[in-house]
Each structure stands twice: as C-alpha cells, then as structure tokens.
Amino acid sequence: MSQGTEGYDDGALSIAETAPVAGLSEPEASRRREARGAAPTDAASRSYGSIVRANVLTVFNLILVVAGGLTLAFGAWQDALFLAILVANSAIGIGQEVRAKRTLDRLAALVAPQATVIRDGRPRRVHADDVVEGDLVELQAGDQLVADGKLVGAAGLALDESNLTGESRPVARAAGEEVRSGSFAVEGSGRYLVSAVGAESYAGRVAGEAREFRHPRSPLERALNRLLFALVAAMIPLGAILGVSLFEQGTSFRHAVPTAVAAVVTLVPEGLILLTSLTFAVAAMRMARLGALAQQLNAVESVASVDVVCIDKTGTLTDARLRVVEAAPPASGAAFARYAAAAGSRNATIAALAEAFPGEAEDARDEVPFSSGRKWSALELADGTVYVLGAPELVAPALDAGPARAIGLARARVLPDPELPLPPLEPVGVVRLAESLRPDAHETVRFLREQGVELRILSGDRAEAVAAVAAELGIDRYEARVTPADKKRIVEELTREGRYVAMVGDGVNDVPALKAARLAIAQGSGAQMAKSVSDLVLVHGEFGAVPALVHEGRKVLRNLQRVAKLFVAKSTFAAFLILSIGLTPTAYPLLPRHLSLAAGLTIGVPAFFLALAPSGGDWRTRGFLREVSRFAVPAGTAAGLGVLASYLFSLNVVGLRLVESRTVAETVLVAVGLYLVLALEASGRTRGIAVAVLCASMAALYGLSLALSSTRAFFALTVPGAAAIAVAVVGIAIAIGGLVLTDERFVPGRGRGRATA
C-alpha cells in the first residue's frame, strides 16, 4: 500500500471509486475557510469569564459585600475599607490569572491538535482550525479526529471513542462508517472525508473533556475546602452569639454594626483562596518558561506531591528515534526491506527498517496493523507473500535476539487473523535495534531518587532491553512486555496502596495509564491523544525538565502551607474576641478599619511575597489541617490575650480614652502579627534577613500611619503616649512570651518545617 497521492487498494482498505483521492485544492480550501468565518478558539486555559467568576463570586466575598453594605448604611464609611481591599485583591488575582492565561494559550499552540489533510494531491500538516468541510484527512495511530466525517478507507483502524460514548475499549471502524471528532486513532490507519467542523461537529463539546473528567481535587484543594467549611461552620454560631449579645444589651445600630462587622470580617480568610489560585497561576507561568504547559492549575501541587513516577522507556529515558544495528542472518535484510516499503501503518520501527533497508515501494494486498496488545503486525504482498513482524519470541523464537531491542520477521501461509493466535510461522530473521539514553536521563533519575521519588519503568519492550536501561540508570523496579492494560493496572494498584502516582508517556499505548494516574505528563513530541489527556505537557519533549518542575511545585506547596497558618491564626483571634469581650457590654477593642490595616500589614502584603519566595524544608499535604491548627490556634489565642489584656488595662486601669485604648490594641495586634511572620518564616541567614527587612518595613508603615494626621484620622487612631506605649509593650510581652514558653516553633529560626534559604 502506498501513501500520498495514491488510493488504497482492494482488501481491508477498500475505497469507493468516487473518493476524492487528491483532496481539495488549496484555493478551494481557503475559499471554504473564509466562507465559514473564524473558527471558535478552543482555549487551552480558563476562559476570561471563568477567571472573573473565580475571583469575584465567592462565598467569602458575598459575606464581605453584605458586611460592607451594612457598614455603609449604618456605620462609618471608613469601616468599609475592607471592600477596597476586596476589590484590589480580586483585581490583582484577575490580572495575574489573565497574564498566566495568555502565556499558557501561546504555549498551548505548540501542542494543539493537528491533522494531515490531502491538498492538491499531497499530504499537508495543518492546525485543526484550518480543516474545512470536504477535506480528506489521513489518520495514523495516535492522531485525534478533529472533525466529523465518513471513512473512505481504513486499514485495521480502531478508534478510542471514550470521550463520546464512555466505552473504554477501542472500536474497529471500516470504510463507509461515520466518525466523529473527539475520538482518537489507537491502531491502524485510514482516511475520512470531513462533513462537519467547528460548532457543527462534536469538537466543541468534547474538547478537553478527557482531562476534565479525569482528576478529583488535589489534596491541598480538598484540605483548604475542609478548612473553609469549618470556618463557615464556626462563623454562623459565633455570629449568632454576638448578635444575640448585642441585642440583649440594647446596643444601637450605630454601635452594633461596627462591632458585628469587625468580628465577622476577621473570621473570613478572604485572601487565602485568592492567594492559592494566584500562586498556582504564577507557578504555571514559571513552569511555562521551563517548557511545561500546565493544563490544570492543580498540576502545580500534584508535581510536588508525587512519590512514584512510572515512565515508559522509549522516548522518555531514551531517544525515540531507533536505528538498526544488524540483521541476523544478514540475508534477511531484503525481506525487511520489502516489509518496510509496503507497510501502510508507519511507526518508529518501520521508519528505522526503511532507513536501514531501502526498497522499492510495493502495494500491500492486505494488512493487519501493529497492535501493542498483540505485539505483531502482518501484511500480504501483491505476489501472495505473507510476512509477520513482531516480538522475536512470538514470530522468531528460534533466533537469538540477545539483550538488545529487537524485532523479528517470519513468513506465514495466510494472513493471520488478529482475533486468533498466530498460526505456524517460518522465521526469516531478527533485526537488532539500538536506542541511546537521553543526555539528561542520569541527572533526572538521580534528582528524583534524592527527593524520595520512586521510579518504575513500564515498557512494552523486551525484558533484556528494559533491564539494560534500568541497570545503567540505577532503577530497581521495572516491568517489561507490558500491554497498555497492564500499565493502567499497575498505576491503579499503586494508587490503591496510597501512592501519589505520576505517569510519563508519549504514545497511544500510554493513554490508559495516563488517565489512571493522579498526574499525567505527556511529551510535546508525543501522540495528540496522550497530550490531550495530560495535566502537564513537556512542550519540548525533555524528561530533564521534570526536576525543575518538582522543585517549583514543592516550593509553592511549602509556602502555601505556611502562609495558610497566618490566615487561620487571624480567624482564631476573631473567635477569641467574640467569645470574650464580644459577650460583654464593653466597647469592642477594634473597628473594622483597624482590622483591615493590621491584616494588610501582617498577612496580606507578607503573604504575597512569601508565597512566591524560594523555600526548602518539609512539605506534605497529609495532616494539613492538624499542622495548621497546631500553629494557628495558640498563635491566635495568644494574640487575643495580648490585645484584650492591654486594651482592658488601658481602658479600665490606666483610664485612657477609647481611641487611645484602641490604638494600644491595634499596636499589640500589629506587633504580634509581625512576630508570627518572623517565627514562621525567618530561618536560614539569607532568608532570615529578608523576612526581618520585610517585617521592619511593615512596622515602619504602621508607624507612618500613626505619624501622619490624615491617616490617624482615617483609621481612628492617635499618637500613643508613654502610658499607652508601656501598656502595649506589656501586652506584646504577654502574647509573645506565652508563645515562646509553650512551643519552640514560635522562636524565630528554631521552628520545624519552615522555609530555608
């Protein structure tokens, strides 16, 4: 069977005589494309509308908007300052994610689906959007169907239509049958005449569906959701308790609204989810610069969480291109040449044979394309000769293939039935093939092992060839001669054992395992089907990019886990005040504007920088809530004790005015908050200095807000006198001293599991 401008002969690849063998002309294709108009873009990242909704329409934003509305209606407008922060945070989040989206969309164009169309009688590779109705499209194993149409020819063609029907088994398709976009060619080859494209086809509904349905939420996302649900659950009864207390005290709306808003707003970790999505978006952009397209933002975390990586040997650890080392016996080269010249279904092995044993093109009377499940292919030439090409142990067991990768060739009396065992064969020869390790394979494997990541090779190649590569790289666990179903089964078994499994692959035979893995990584040079179902695509196809991705993901995960402790400490502080002074007739120690200022200086600005900073040390998602609580509960309680003690002492003992007492409370809260940042983040000489400078800058900003009359008036603060300063120092000492005495994690530089420079 020949390709290009020639039609398919009779047999398994029957084509109607009216089939447009030459395809459309380029002018005609251009005319149809212009008549159709611009094709809708299948965005590789989130839509603009989705980004806006994710950053604006949240439960916590709703709570803040309601609180802000009540404040504007019944209280002082300055106490609605948190609304400006909400808008600013949302704007920053939207801006960063839009920037990330544009970067990822440009990068996604490099791995977008393409199709081979016949134009003017010649095959041409075009983008999926350039395919028009009436085009003749060629299919090879691994190609995605980018439009609807009717097959005008098929040679052992089997399609994966799971995105359309949910059926995981490949479906055999023959000439005359309808095919739809969204499916993939798993085996064989064929041609189809396009009948519908764009919005009129299935493409819009199934684009990206393979990766959307595949993954649950990541561990960190699930942990954050549980945390937020817990805070909402606590917010409702605490808010009710405070409301009843204010009502029973007969507090006027003018005073009740600021008190209630101050309590509720502090309970809301408004920046935590925003910071998480923002950090993931920035990390995705950094990964893009490293040559990896993150098709799901939570892939950033998944890269960090992986503890076992399953990899295919060919194309991942070794160069995908094969070369023939020798043929045994040498005379068998002529037979291999005939097979390579006549094979209609091309792959790396056929290409290597054709390069080593050039021969004149022959038409195949019939063909059984290669299947990774069967591990053999066959064809019948025009003179009636039948060849079977496949694993040496299946087709030429009497010939010694040695430890190298090899392919055997045998003659048969009739073309074998792919559904039945192979008939008796006459061995012809064995060709030994060679592949070399990628230059970065040794370094990549070493890095992953040092990081505690187990590697397993899952290969369909011979055990001897796989063992040789594994031994050279120092990989202990490997499986050879595995089928696609075997790869999937192994990945699923590891997952059931509680392992966080990543699968790296590039071929159609890797797709079942890619779908089953928690993190699917495909190579940009691989099959379209593999890229479509993956979370990460290595655009340049380099496995050596993985260490940098792991480093980036773990840095992000470590930082987010630590920064989350600051947000939850703020919520604990709010709960403490509600359950203490909130139930008394004493004026609340802090107004909403005070809390906005303190949160911005001690959490908002520091968290933004620290979430993206370099880091080292422990990382894990298991026990996330417990670890956060072990820091946040004592930290928030200690801050509450310091604030409450200094406030009540100022108000009731020293006899300071309310505005002065609130200034004392605000000063204690800012000082304790900045100390918590130091305790959490200042480890390692370089990082310690950087964090100290950051905290000093925030303290200076607070001092400036007290020094300027305009900001003092806005925030309802005053310049503290000697008595106020003395009381504030005592309150700070109570909070920090209590923390240091209870746990050394609150001593800067000594805590466990913190960042290191």
Side-chain angles (χ1 to χ4, degrees), residues 597 601 605 694-708 711:
L597 176 61
L601 294 175
V605 176
L694 175 62
C695 291
S697 300
M698 297 299 100
L701 284 177
Y702 177 65
L704 185 63
S705 69
L706 294 178
L708 298 176
T711 53

Side-chain angles (χ1 to χ4, degrees), residues 287-665:
M287 288 185 171
R289 297 189 190 104
L290 297 172
L293 168 63
Q295 300 193 122
Q296 294 192 57
L297 282 183
N298 64 13
V300 174
E301 179 203 343
S302 293
V303 169
S305 302
V306 164
D307 58 14
V308 57
V309 176
C310 297
I311 50 179
D312 190 13
K313 176 178 67 68
T314 305
T316 304
L317 296 175
T318 62
D319 291 328
R321 186 172 178 273
L322 299 175
R323 60 185 179 87
V324 173
V325 176
E326 63 175 335
S332 63
F336 280 106
R338 294 192 69 190
Y339 192 102
S345 182
R346 317 298 291 184
N347 55 33
T349 300
I350 297 298
L353 293 176
E355 181 179 356
F357 309 113
E360 295 184 4
E362 295 188 55
D363 288 336
R365 183 180 298 175
D366 206 347
E367 182 176 5
V368 178
F370 177 79
S371 164
S372 56
R374 292 190 306 268
K375 300 191 181 303
W376 60 266
S377 61
L379 56 78
E380 182 179 358
L381 300 176
D383 62 2
T385 302
V386 176
Y387 284 122
V388 179
L389 184 75
E393 64 266 26
L394 294 178
V395 304
L399 300 176
D400 180 19
R405 180 170 183 168
I407 193 78
L409 185 67
R411 293 189 185 90
R413 293 181 180 275
V414 296
L415 192 72
D417 187 330
E419 301 298 327
L420 298 176
L422 284 171
L425 302 174
E426 177 188 350
V428 173
V430 170
V431 161
R432 295 180 179 85
L433 304 168
E435 51 186 352
S436 57
L437 288 175
R438 288 183 175 270
D440 50 17
H442 281 283
E443 183 178 352
T444 303
V445 169
R446 179 185 55 79
F447 171 85
L448 293 175
R449 294 184 65 179
E450 289 176 351
Q451 294 295 312
V453 177
E454 178 185 343
L455 284 95
R456 295 195 179 191
I457 300 177
L458 307 181
S459 176
D461 207 347
R462 299 189 61 200
E464 295 86 349
V466 177
V469 171
E472 186 172 353
L473 291 174
I475 299 177
D476 300 326
R477 305 295 297 272
Y478 60 88
E479 300 283 344
R481 284 303 190 215
V482 292
T483 65
D486 292 331
K487 292 184 179 182
K488 178 183 179 182
R489 173 183 53 78
I490 294 171
V491 169
E492 290 175 337
E493 288 177 353
L494 289 169
T495 302
R496 283 193 294 269
E497 293 173 3
R499 309 296 298 274
Y500 205 102
V501 185
M503 177 70 198
V504 183
D506 63 348
V508 175
N509 62 324
D510 297 317
V511 169
L514 288 169
K515 286 185 176 182
R518 293 299 302 271
L519 175 67
I521 304 176
Q523 294 171 277
S525 57
Q528 292 177 6
M529 186 178 184
K531 290 181 287 189
S532 176
V533 303
S534 294
D535 304 303
L536 281 173
V537 178
L538 305 178
V539 178
H540 305 299
E542 296 179 356
F543 184 50
V546 172
L549 303 182
V550 172
H551 176 77
E552 182 68 27
R554 291 189 174 178
K555 179 190 72 176
V556 167
L557 184 57
R558 281 189 294 261
N559 289 341
L560 283 178
Q561 287 176 326
R562 288 195 309 278
V563 169
K565 297 176 182 179
L566 296 176
F567 286 96
V568 181
K570 179 172 76 80
S571 299
T572 303
F573 169 78
F576 178 87
L577 288 188
I578 291 173
L579 294 174
S580 55
I581 198 169
L583 304 181
T584 71
T586 304
Y588 213 68
L590 297 165
L591 295 173
R593 69 191 83 173
H594 298 149
L595 294 167
S596 296
L597 176 61
L601 294 175
T602 64
I603 300 176
V605 176
F608 178 79
F609 288 102
L610 297 173
L612 302 173
S615 66
D618 295 341
W619 61 272
R620 61 181 180 275
T621 52
R622 294 179 181 176
F624 171 73
L625 294 183
R626 182 170 58 254
E627 179 64 23
V628 168
S629 299
R630 288 179 62 191
F631 179 93
V633 172
T637 302
L641 284 171
V643 168
L644 185 59
S646 59
Y647 172 70
L648 292 177
F649 193 83
S650 300
L651 195 64
N652 299 322
V653 178
V654 181
L656 298 179
R657 293 177 299 139
L658 180 60
V659 64
E660 293 174 309
S661 298
R662 283 176 167 168
T663 301
V664 169

Side-chain angles (χ1 to χ4, degrees), residues 146-160:
V146 298
D148 295 351
K150 177 180 289 187
L151 285 170
V152 295
L157 183 65
L159 301 182
D160 180 334

